[in-house]
Amino acid sequence: MSCRPTTLPLEDTELTSIARKETVSVRIGNVTMGGGAPIVVQSMTNTDTADVGQTVAQVEALARAGSELVRITVDREEAAAAVPLIRAQLDKRGVEVPLIGDFHYNGHTLLANNPDCAEALAKYRINPGNVGFKDKRDKQFSQIIDIALKHDKPVRIGVNWGSLDQELLTRLMDENAASPDPKDAREVMHEAMVQSALLSAARAQELGMGADRIVLSAKVSAVQDLIAVYRMLAERSDLALHLGLTEAGMGSKGIVASSAAMSVLLQEGIGDTIRISLTPEPGGDRSLEVKVGQELLQSMGFRAFVPLVAACPGCGRTTSTTFQELAQDIQAFIRDQMPDWKRRYPGVENLNVAVMGCIVNGPGESKHADIGISLPGTGEAPAAPVFIEGKKVTTLRGPGAAAEFKLMVLDYIEQRYGNPAASREGAPRTAAE
């Protein structure tokens, strides 16, 4: 089964009307970023890249979850030598997701010594804060750009506040201290990050790299800092922008912080690709960051990735857990099936399913969904009306109602998306009436 990531054309989804910041389009393998293309979701492995088997498995899992770009660490010779082997195995498995090489300190040497690695990667990530120091900085940066030009690869110039160019920061701090109207130290740090990215991009262009081969990022770990820095970048450059809150944290903290920062910027039309940098729990699912990124974009109306399952939060009227279990079951089933459904059922990502727990909002919410069920709450008659495209089509009863509704959802998907020429009128087949 192919796990080819695709960037949906604008007309394929019901997108928000928010105006996007105009940026230069960048082609990364089979994915387009910027230039009005849909916002791309990407992720990063946490395996030892030298371990080909583990890295291939994790890249495939991330791609199946919907990651359209996957970044891997290239930190030493063994890792660089493994990259073409990883690419070859992914290709054999039909996993066409572009790989991005993450380089620090010795990227110029690793790329020069391993031309097969340089060719196998779809993009290089360079950190101007540690690409080289003092008189070696420009030489080593230039070497990476020259290799990227030779292999026709784009680069991401990724500034990070944890490894900011200290010479640049010191100079700006000194200039600020001598100013008659000095700024807050935090504002100076923001300026240093923006200048580091823009100066490096200008140097890459001096060396012959086109704007259509450059992506910028400037990552910090505080929400307000991220918003401030990217507003500055967007105002002063039309290069494609990669959004991400670095070191966001674990669990709900990381999800909330990343969403809070990026939703503000996305609402302002800033950002061409996002990565949710979650710290996984021990033994946790790395692909959670992909799901969060997709849900952020889908919740804001920028993309559609998987059918939405609406479910009520539950209250004293919903003492049964049936609606919770059914909603969870259907959502998990949908996500598992999406790689196959995208090929078989074009447009299925726009489907809306409702699983409600009582009569208060249940029928109304179910009518608003493409297909919905309102399960009985405490003290209500043991009956579950099912609505399809706003019309009640049947009432399910008995212990098998939940399983029967799941079959109705599958049947509805087949009828609506499996044969586009077929009429959408009428109810799916069901044994209950």
Side-chain angles (χ1 to χ4, degrees):
M1 183 186 302
S2 173
C3 294
R4 179 178 183 178
T6 55
T7 302
L8 300 177
L10 293 177
E11 63 269 21
D12 280 0
T13 59
E14 296 179 7
L15 297 181
T16 176
S17 59
I18 293 171
R20 298 269 305 281
K21 155 77 177 176
E22 285 192 28
T23 56
V24 179
S25 175
V26 180
R27 188 74 177 171
I28 303 164
N30 56 12
V31 174
T32 300
M33 174 192 305
I39 300 163
V40 175
V41 174
Q42 63 177 279
S43 58
M44 184 175 185
T45 60
N46 62 355
T47 58
D48 178 359
T49 305
D51 187 327
V52 174
Q54 283 196 10
T55 303
V56 167
Q58 191 172 90
V59 171
E60 182 174 16
L62 291 168
R64 283 188 61 83
S67 185
E68 295 160 309
L69 300 170
V70 176
R71 183 159 43 112
I72 60 177
T73 298
V74 187
D75 58 347
R76 62 194 195 280
E77 287 290 337
E78 292 83 356
V83 170
L85 303 178
I86 292 167
R87 180 72 271 166
Q89 288 201 22
L90 289 170
D91 290 343
K92 285 182 180 179
R93 298 186 185 198
V95 183
E96 301 177 20
V97 63
L99 296 178
I100 302 166
D102 194 65
F103 294 98
H104 297 275
Y105 305 107
N106 58 352
H108 60 294
T109 301
L110 294 176
L111 286 167
N113 291 347
N114 297 273
D116 289 344
C117 168
E119 182 57 36
L121 293 169
K123 185 175 73 171
Y124 312 151
R125 185 277 174 108
I126 313 170
N127 185 340
N130 58 33
V131 70
F133 302 98
K134 298 188 181 297
D135 58 333
K136 293 182 179 179
R137 177 180 291 111
D138 184 65
K139 177 183 178 182
Q140 293 174 183
F141 179 84
S142 299
Q143 286 177 321
I144 296 178
I145 297 300
D146 287 343
I147 294 170
L149 290 170
K150 177 182 177 182
H151 293 275
D152 193 24
K153 305 294 182 180
V155 299
R156 170 160 73 98
I157 295 172
V159 181
N160 189 298
W161 80 311
S163 51
L164 187 56
D165 182 342
Q166 291 303 301
E167 289 185 39
L168 174 61
L169 179 60
T170 299
R171 177 173 62 78
L172 291 178
M173 286 289 188
D174 289 343
E175 291 175 359
N176 184 63
S179 170
D181 185 21
K183 298 177 181 179
D184 180 85
R186 211 170 193 85
E187 293 181 82
V188 180
M189 186 196 74
H190 295 167
E191 179 64 25
M193 295 194 69
V194 171
Q195 283 200 28
S196 180
L198 296 180
L199 289 170
S200 297
R203 179 58 179 145
Q205 290 178 290
E206 288 176 6
L207 293 167
M209 180 158 282
D212 63 342
R213 309 303 280 162
I214 301 173
V215 178
L216 297 183
S217 68
K219 293 188 176 182
V220 296
S221 60
V223 170
Q224 295 299 337
D225 289 333
L226 192 82
I227 294 170
V229 168
Y230 274 91
R231 282 173 173 167
M232 293 166 68
L233 270 177
E235 184 178 346
R236 290 155 65 172
S237 172
D238 61 356
L239 296 174
L241 295 178
H242 166 121
L243 296 187
L245 189 74
T246 192
E247 297 137 12
M250 182 181 291
S252 60
K253 186 269 180 187
I255 293 172
V256 171
S258 293
S259 300
M262 283 189 270
S263 62
V264 171
L265 293 167
L266 292 169
Q267 187 73 11
E268 295 177 2
I270 298 170
D272 300 295
T273 181
I274 65 170
R275 190 236 167 158
I276 307 292
S277 300
L278 293 181
T279 303
E281 296 181 4
D285 183 2
R286 186 70 170 180
S287 64
L288 176 61
E289 65 178 47
V290 180
K291 297 172 185 175
V292 173
Q294 289 183 330
E295 288 169 5
L296 174 61
L297 293 179
Q298 188 152 346
S299 296
M300 295 188 71
F302 288 105
R303 296 282 302 273
F305 296 96
V306 297
L308 293 175
V309 178
C312 65
C315 66
R317 297 185 183 91
T318 55
T319 52
S320 169
T321 60
T322 302
F323 80 98
Q324 298 165 317
E325 293 161 358
L326 181 58
Q328 183 182 48
D329 185 31
I330 290 178
Q331 185 71 78
F333 179 75
I334 285 171
R335 277 204 170 273
D336 288 343
Q337 296 299 315
M338 276 308 292
D340 180 47
W341 284 0
K342 276 190 175 182
R343 293 186 298 107
R344 294 174 56 196
Y345 305 121
V348 70
E349 62 274 5
N350 294 298
L351 177 70
N352 286 296
V353 181
V355 180
M356 307 304 292
C358 80
I359 201 170
V360 175
N361 294 312
E365 290 282 359
S366 297
K367 287 178 183 178
H368 290 309
D370 294 310
I371 179 169
I373 187 171
S374 179
L375 295 166
T378 304
E380 295 175 15
V386 175
F387 298 84
I388 293 178
E389 297 177 359
K391 299 177 181 178
K392 180 180 173 182
V393 297
T394 190
T395 298
L396 303 179
R397 294 180 173 86
E404 203 161 355
F405 177 69
K406 182 177 175 181
L407 292 176
M408 292 184 70
V409 171
L410 295 176
D411 204 18
Y412 179 78
I413 290 172
E414 177 63 38
Q415 288 195 34
R416 177 172 175 180
Y417 300 102
N419 183 4
S423 170
R424 289 174 51 186
E425 293 297 324
R429 298 179 299 277
T430 174
E433 197 62 66

